[in-house]
């Protein structure tokens, strides 16, 4: 990921976390972390926050694809979320 792209991803992650990911639907969360991981962007706090939001919602509204996208992104980036894994 180039410098400009990293700044973009950082701004998106900061803005999303500043809003505590409110307003994001399960599909939005899954797609967003998938895109970050696919681009090789490693913001561990961002991935952990997404996992925490999914856990706090007890995965309600999350379909299998949303869950897989989040788990794949965390695994790809080497982020462990025991709370998420124990919830799923």
């Amino acid at each position: 990921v180039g410098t400009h792209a990293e700044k973009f991803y950082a701004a998106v992650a900061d803005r999303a976390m500043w809003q505590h990911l409110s307003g994001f639907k399960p599909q939005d969360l899954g797609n967003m972390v998938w895109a970050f991981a696919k681009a090789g962007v490693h913001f561990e706090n961002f991935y952990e926050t997404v996992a925490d939001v999914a856990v706090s919602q007890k995965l309600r509204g999350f379909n299998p694809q949303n869950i897989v996208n989040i788990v794949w992104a965390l695994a790809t980036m080497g982020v462990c979320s025991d709370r998420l894994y124990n919830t799923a």
Side-chain angles (χ1 to χ4, degrees), residues 19-76:
Q19 295 176 347
H20 305 287
L21 298 170
S22 65
F24 287 92
K25 297 176 184 143
Q27 183 176 351
D28 302 333
L29 295 173
N31 289 348
M32 191 164 38
V33 292
W34 177 86
F36 273 58
K38 185 72 173 163
V41 177
H42 192 278
F43 296 128
E44 188 166 340
N45 191 35
F46 174 69
Y47 293 102
E48 290 171 349
T49 300
V50 170
D52 288 345
V53 167
V55 169
S56 73
Q57 295 178 7
K58 297 183 174 143
L59 300 177
R60 279 190 295 270
F62 287 78
N63 67 32
Q65 185 65 57
N66 308 145
I67 296 167
V68 167
N69 284 355
I70 294 170
V71 170
W72 180 87
L74 268 64
T76 298

